[in-house]
Amino acid sequence: MNELDVVIAGVSINVQGDEITSPLLHTFRKLLRGFLKKKSSEGVSAFLFYEHATTLRKFKGEPAVLSPGRDRETTRIINHVAKHYPVSEKTVLIGFLNGILAYNVHSRKALIFLFRSKGKNLLTGTIYKLLFILTSFFMVEDGKLLLHGAGLRINGRGNLFLGASGAGKSTVSGFVPKEDVLSDDATAVEKKGERFIIHASPFSQVSAADKKKPGHHLRKATLTRLLFLKKDRNVALVPRDRQTALAEMIARHVHYVELMDRELKTAAFNT
């Protein structure tokens, strides 16, 4: 069995594969440097399975929630998934490019089902995206959030810049040393008492392939400032009231909240 153990904001994710997916796991061992550790007996797990013998239809470039009755080909693909994972009407199924993420909420075990398709097969990109989505689910179950924002340590203090794609998160991240960028796109946040802690994550727009030192996953900071980035010709800081700011953060800036089932969405809003 080939496997690697990823840790993000204290959440351990054991990613397993067989001999066929071993080269893919080797690639991710490089991408996830700084977020790997020795195997833990606790945590959650994801198994990679590659259906290489059958050609199936590739999904579009945006993740989508799947249901058996969507169309004949989708039902066919889900039937293949069901041979390797206990699929029910409550199973969260997400399709993206050459794969499907299957997860029964709170089971702590998921399947990333990969398949061949006509044309170019994008297996590495498929795994990266589906693992990203799964991590967001696991974070919510662990009482944390993976936010669409740049987490930066400035003078030792935590600053979180939230914004849609193109709002300037990566640009802002370029103004601080790389070691103080926890993530330029997906910062993990948890509440500890009256404080909020922001944590490093391996999911980034610009620095994903940068070589990170062992133990990079331990980098964190106490959040002291929350800012919402908006495109504008002028530069200004406009105060926000706490209630509307938190409402916007949950509704618009939790990674992949739109793909969560009702139970996960409720847990995200209650975090």
Side-chain angles (χ1 to χ4, degrees):
M1 184 72 69
N2 297 288
E3 60 186 308
L4 53 86
D5 285 270
V6 188
V7 59
I8 304 168
V11 177
S12 297
I13 306 172
N14 176 249
V15 184
Q16 302 177 3
D18 53 22
E19 291 183 0
I20 296 175
T21 55
S22 178
L24 295 169
L25 281 176
H26 181 70
T27 298
F28 275 88
R29 191 171 294 279
K30 294 180 180 179
L31 286 174
L32 296 171
R33 274 182 295 203
F35 292 88
L36 301 177
K37 69 170 189 174
K38 294 182 179 179
K39 184 172 176 59
S40 171
S41 58
E42 300 180 355
V44 293
S45 64
F47 186 81
L48 302 182
F49 179 82
Y50 182 29
E51 178 59 83
H52 63 285
T54 305
T55 300
L56 301 170
R57 184 190 64 193
K58 184 187 298 181
F59 291 106
K60 295 181 179 180
E62 288 295 329
V65 177
L66 306 179
S67 60
R70 181 177 179 178
D71 57 61
R72 184 178 297 179
E73 183 64 12
T74 298
T75 300
R76 177 176 174 236
I77 296 174
I78 292 174
N79 287 339
H80 278 280
V81 173
K83 296 176 183 178
H84 307 280
Y85 189 81
V87 174
S88 72
E89 61 181 13
K90 293 185 177 181
T91 304
V92 178
L93 296 163
I94 310 296
F96 177 73
L97 295 180
N98 288 97
I100 287 182
L101 168 64
Y103 183 54
N104 291 319
V105 176
H106 296 304
S107 70
R108 312 297 273 174
K109 294 182 179 180
L111 173 71
I112 295 178
F113 179 89
L114 305 169
F115 56 84
R116 289 192 302 113
S117 62
K118 293 181 180 179
K120 189 175 183 179
N121 292 284
L122 305 170
L123 298 178
T124 300
T126 297
I127 296 171
Y128 181 86
K129 179 69 74 173
L130 295 180
L131 186 60
F132 191 170
I133 294 168
L134 182 61
T135 299
S136 185
F137 293 177
F138 285 155
M139 286 291 161
V140 170
E141 290 185 343
D142 206 55
K144 301 166 185 173
L145 295 174
L146 196 60
L147 295 181
H148 194 189
L152 311 178
R153 292 191 305 193
I154 301 175
N155 297 323
R157 297 181 177 182
N159 294 259
L160 183 57
F161 295 81
L162 301 179
S165 296
K169 299 183 297 297
S170 296
T171 301
V172 170
S173 299
F175 288 105
V176 302
K178 284 188 176 182
E179 60 268 22
D180 287 325
V181 178
L182 303 180
S183 173
D184 66 9
D185 184 63
T187 303
V189 181
E190 70 169 324
K191 186 177 182 181
K192 283 199 171 183
E194 296 300 314
R195 300 182 302 151
F196 287 91
I197 309 298
I198 56 175
H199 296 264
S201 94
F203 305 109
S204 298
Q205 288 289 336
V206 176
S207 60
D210 288 352
K211 186 175 181 180
K212 297 177 177 64
K213 296 180 180 179
H216 189 88
H217 64 89
L218 296 172
R219 300 193 177 199
K220 59 185 178 180
T222 298
L223 181 61
T224 58
R225 180 174 290 183
L226 176 65
L227 302 101
F228 294 83
L229 295 174
K230 308 285 184 181
K231 279 190 173 182
D232 197 279
R233 293 181 179 179
N234 301 310
V235 178
L237 281 174
V238 180
R240 296 281 304 272
D241 68 89
R242 181 182 178 90
Q243 186 174 355
T244 59
L246 289 176
E248 179 180 336
M249 182 181 75
I250 297 297
R252 299 183 183 180
H253 300 293
V254 175
H255 269 297
Y256 303 114
V257 68
E258 72 278 6
L259 301 178
M260 298 177 185
D261 68 357
R262 180 177 297 181
E263 188 174 357
L264 282 174
K265 286 180 180 177
T266 300
F269 276 86
N270 291 334
T271 296

